[in-house]
Amino acid sequence: MEIKRDIISVFKTWKDSALHKPILLKGARQIGKTWAMEKFGKECFKYCVKFDFDRQPELISIFQTTKSPERIISELALYCDEPIIAGETLIIFDEIQECENALNSLKYFCEDAPEYHIIAAGSLLGVAVRQKQMSVPVGKVKVVRMYPITFREFLRAVDVNTYNYINSISEIKQLPEIILNKLKTAYRQYQICGGMPESVVALLDGRGVGEIEDILQGILDLYELDFSRYAAARDIPRIQALWHSLPAQLSKENRKFIYRVVKHGARSKDYEDALMWLVEAGMIHVVYNISKPGFPISAYEQMDSFKVYASDCGLLRRLARLPASVILDSIANYTEFKGALAENAVLQSLISVTDNQIPYYWTSEGKAEIEFVIQKDELIIPIEVKAEDNIKGRSIVVYNEKYHPRVRIRYSMLNLQYNCGLLSCPLPLVEWLDLFIKLILEKKE
């Protein structure tokens, strides 16, 4: 089964723009970057040619002898069956981290041959650039970040009628019980398989939980091999230890990242490079604390206080060895980690609707904590996350009394409603954030 990916729409907008700098596509391994590029090429161009610098190392010599786009194109044409015609052919440079000169050539395509459409991508591109001290043509490429399949994309594939119903919402009122139940079912399925395309397809094809677990474990094993292949020797055990500490870090009631959970006596300076490696590999997201929700929110970031989440909730579940059957049981006793898994899924969704911006979190002297705080245009919005129906706790109340935000949100498994500035929203609907903010602001006017 094929999953429709929203990244294709991003590519289409780029194709139709007057200025289309070469795209540099970044994202974690196994999220479908190559598939998306080829799918776009087949759908939107007369021709599509792909050059893989890992499988075709002989291509590297082309970029060593010239910087001229026209000469590069003429020589690349010898390696493909389809013609390379400006405006009619999509050129894909895959595994571009294997050829620094090819990466640098994007600058010359931007300056001297902008009529060509080029998308470049690579495995662990950020890691390779940093490790090899490669230069990236800043300002001459359009950096596009790709993430695992979102819940919105998942729902569209698994239950298009419910997806269409949510898109048609024109006022904030309780959802019909049948729609809410369908959302809950789909959301629990998503927490099991996560957003890795292969595991999503396995679930939608009905191949069973056992195969989903095998697929996710295979991806985790591949990530482990990447540590050895791409990381400096001294950093490998630190990256492994940090990565495997994620379930323990997130199982704490206070999910603030603590280095001694990684290893007794560990210090931040010993693990900073390992943390950065995982960020650049797209495997984790670091959410920083803010001293207060001022504007702009980035001005109040506290670099020494942060949480670390996995890039995908399905991989996090498998990393923690949490059985899929537990996810399907809404009353299962795994309170702390249930909250962590919910937060991880919410974070994935928030990133997809906030222009790839990582949110922050807020605490108040140990008395209150808001899981996420985001800036949307002129609004700073506090977001509380509850894994199920239990919404006890005063954190959102404390925040409201202190800062009086125009909009505040609580995500849980309760039905949709709006009351006195608080949007209570089902967890599956995070990616419809813009719609609900629009309806709230219209209501206030």
Side-chain angles (χ1 to χ4, degrees):
M1 184 175 188
E2 190 171 273
I3 310 297
K4 182 180 178 182
R5 299 300 306 271
D6 292 337
I7 192 74
I8 303 297
S9 296
V10 175
F11 292 159
K12 288 179 179 178
T13 299
W14 165 76
K15 176 183 183 292
D16 296 336
S17 63
L19 178 64
H20 47 262
K21 299 177 183 178
I23 283 180
L24 196 58
L25 185 63
K26 302 180 73 174
R29 293 260 261 159
Q30 300 293 301
I31 61 170
K33 295 189 296 298
T34 299
W35 175 88
M37 293 187 293
E38 292 181 332
K39 178 73 172 176
F40 171 58
K42 291 173 183 176
E43 285 187 356
C44 300
F45 288 84
K46 187 174 182 179
Y47 309 106
C48 177
V49 294
K50 184 180 76 169
F51 303 98
D52 188 322
F53 293 97
D54 184 41
R55 296 189 179 197
Q56 300 169 282
E58 63 271 19
L59 296 172
I60 295 175
S61 62
I62 296 174
F63 297 85
Q64 291 174 334
T65 56
T66 183
K67 295 181 179 179
S68 165
E70 290 303 327
R71 184 174 168 186
I72 290 172
I73 291 295
S74 66
E75 294 195 30
L76 287 176
L78 301 175
Y79 291 86
C80 56
D81 297 327
E82 295 186 313
I84 303 177
I85 304 171
E88 296 185 16
T89 305
L90 176 66
I91 303 168
I92 297 173
F93 288 161
D94 209 1
E95 303 297 352
I96 198 170
Q97 79 283 350
E98 299 296 332
C99 181
E100 183 174 3
N101 288 327
L103 182 61
N104 290 332
S105 77
L106 300 181
K107 170 185 176 182
Y108 304 106
F109 276 100
C110 176
E111 293 177 343
D112 304 330
E115 65 272 18
Y116 290 101
H117 291 80
I118 301 174
I119 304 181
S123 300
L124 303 176
L125 183 57
V127 169
V129 167
R130 183 167 178 256
Q131 183 175 340
K132 299 178 182 179
Q133 297 183 327
M134 298 165 65
S135 60
V136 178
V138 178
K140 305 300 181 180
V141 295
K142 177 181 175 64
V143 176
V144 174
R145 288 178 172 80
M146 185 174 173
Y147 298 99
I149 290 171
T150 65
F151 177 73
R152 186 180 184 123
E153 293 170 327
F154 179 83
L155 182 65
R156 182 168 57 207
V158 74
D159 188 348
V160 70
N161 291 330
T162 299
Y163 172 84
N164 290 335
Y165 181 92
I166 299 303
N167 282 337
S168 70
I169 290 176
S170 58
E171 61 178 310
I172 300 175
K173 62 180 182 180
Q174 290 211 334
L175 303 172
E177 201 65 28
I178 187 172
I179 293 294
L180 183 61
N181 288 337
K182 285 184 175 181
L183 283 172
K184 288 181 179 180
T185 298
Y187 199 66
R188 296 193 200 286
Q189 290 176 330
Y190 180 74
Q191 287 184 307
I192 289 171
C193 67
M196 291 311 201
E198 191 179 357
S199 62
V200 171
V201 170
L203 185 143
L204 296 182
D205 286 348
R207 283 187 254 149
V209 170
E211 183 160 346
I212 293 171
E213 299 290 46
D214 288 344
I215 289 169
L216 292 175
Q217 187 58 50
I219 294 172
L220 291 176
D221 292 343
L222 176 65
Y223 283 1
E224 295 273 351
L225 292 174
D226 285 340
F227 299 159
S228 300
R229 181 179 178 187
Y230 291 99
R234 68 179 185 85
D235 287 333
I236 294 172
R238 295 170 182 172
I239 294 171
Q240 290 174 326
L242 199 154
W243 172 243
H244 285 283
S245 79
L246 251 62
Q249 299 281 359
L250 294 172
S251 293
K252 307 191 309 295
E253 184 175 356
N254 175 359
R255 304 193 218 288
K256 176 183 175 182
F257 189 86
I258 299 175
Y259 283 100
R260 66 173 178 270
V261 172
V262 180
K263 181 180 179 181
H264 180 70
R267 298 171 300 176
S268 61
K269 69 177 184 178
D270 295 329
Y271 284 85
E272 286 175 349
D273 286 345
L275 188 70
M276 183 57 66
W277 194 98
L278 290 169
V279 169
E280 291 175 340
M283 294 172 61
I284 63 172
H285 298 302
V286 179
V287 176
Y288 289 98
N289 187 231
I290 50 171
S291 56
K292 71 173 187 177
F295 192 89
I297 196 169
S298 58
Y300 300 92
E301 179 181 286
Q302 300 190 103
M303 296 293 290
D304 61 343
S305 182
F306 57 89
K307 302 177 185 179
V308 176
Y309 295 91
S311 63
D312 180 71
C313 60
L315 289 179
L316 175 63
R317 180 192 64 79
R318 181 61 191 170
L319 186 66
R321 292 295 193 271
L322 182 69
S325 58
V326 177
I327 301 293
L328 298 174
D329 183 358
S330 63
I331 60 173
N333 184 25
Y334 67 112
T335 306
E336 288 79 11
F337 198 75
K338 180 186 289 188
L341 203 60
E343 288 176 27
N344 211 108
V346 168
L347 175 61
Q348 286 177 246
S349 294
L350 285 175
I351 292 171
S352 73
V353 294
T354 55
D355 296 324
N356 301 320
Q357 298 301 307
I358 306 297
Y360 298 88
Y361 77 100
W362 172 86
T363 56
S364 175
E365 301 169 353
K367 299 177 182 177
E369 179 174 316
I370 299 297
E371 282 77 17
F372 302 112
V373 182
I374 63 172
Q375 181 177 314
K376 291 284 286 183
D377 298 322
E378 76 282 1
L379 294 175
I380 293 180
I381 304 171
I383 295 173
E384 185 177 57
V385 179
K386 299 294 184 182
E388 291 293 341
D389 298 343
N390 185 351
I391 57 173
K392 292 180 180 179
R394 285 183 45 82
S395 292
I396 199 75
V397 175
V398 171
Y399 184 100
N400 187 49
E401 291 173 348
K402 191 174 181 68
Y403 298 111
H404 310 291
R406 290 176 64 190
V407 178
R408 60 194 193 280
I409 301 173
R410 176 192 289 134
Y411 289 113
S412 70
M413 282 299 189
L414 294 176
N415 210 325
L416 180 67
Q417 65 174 345
Y418 178 74
N419 185 32
C420 299
L422 175 64
L423 174 67
S424 295
C425 188
L427 280 163
L429 300 187
V430 177
E431 288 162 58
W432 283 266
L433 174 70
D434 287 342
L435 169 62
F436 293 124
I437 289 177
K438 176 177 176 288
L439 293 175
I440 288 171
L441 295 181
E442 289 175 350
K443 194 180 187 75
K444 289 187 174 184
E445 291 176 356

